Amino acid sequence: AVSKNTKSTSRSVASLASHTLLNNNSSQIAKQLAASALAQHRTGSQTGAQMEELAGRVLASDKYADATRMLAASLVSQSNKDR
């Protein structure tokens, strides 16, 4: 049985995500994270395994911008705790 995810992307992270997607200077990774975060805003969806792995790699590295790392942290916090 899949555990119900009661977490969703906060309004501030959703706002950051939409700015990231609209910004032509955002990296491809930032846009992927942003799209995933927006998909979880008010939906109860949880982070997929592939996106969770990408978010984990972003957090483990210090080469990414703070905004990218914030999106990654949000996704990791919404991942499946059973994984």
Side-chain angles (χ1 to χ4, degrees):
V2 176
S3 58
K4 173 142 177 47
N5 186 13
T6 56
K7 299 174 189 162
S8 69
T9 301
S10 69
R11 187 180 296 144
S12 59
V13 173
S15 175
L16 171 64
S18 48
H19 288 313
T20 300
L21 287 172
L22 294 171
N23 183 345
N24 290 334
N25 296 322
S26 296
S27 69
Q28 195 60 41
I29 286 180
K31 288 187 176 194
Q32 281 181 284
L33 295 171
S36 183
L38 274 182
Q40 293 174 32
H41 183 55
R42 296 186 178 159
T43 65
S45 300
Q46 64 185 25
T47 306
Q50 209 172 355
M51 196 53 62
E52 184 182 342
E53 187 180 323
L54 174 64
R57 285 203 311 265
V58 167
L59 290 174
S61 168
D62 57 8
K63 73 176 185 177
Y64 295 99
D66 287 347
T68 305
R69 293 169 62 82
M70 189 179 295
L71 290 168
S74 175
L75 292 177
V76 167
S77 77
Q78 294 170 61
S79 63
N80 183 339
K81 66 180 183 296
D82 297 333
R83 219 180 350 255

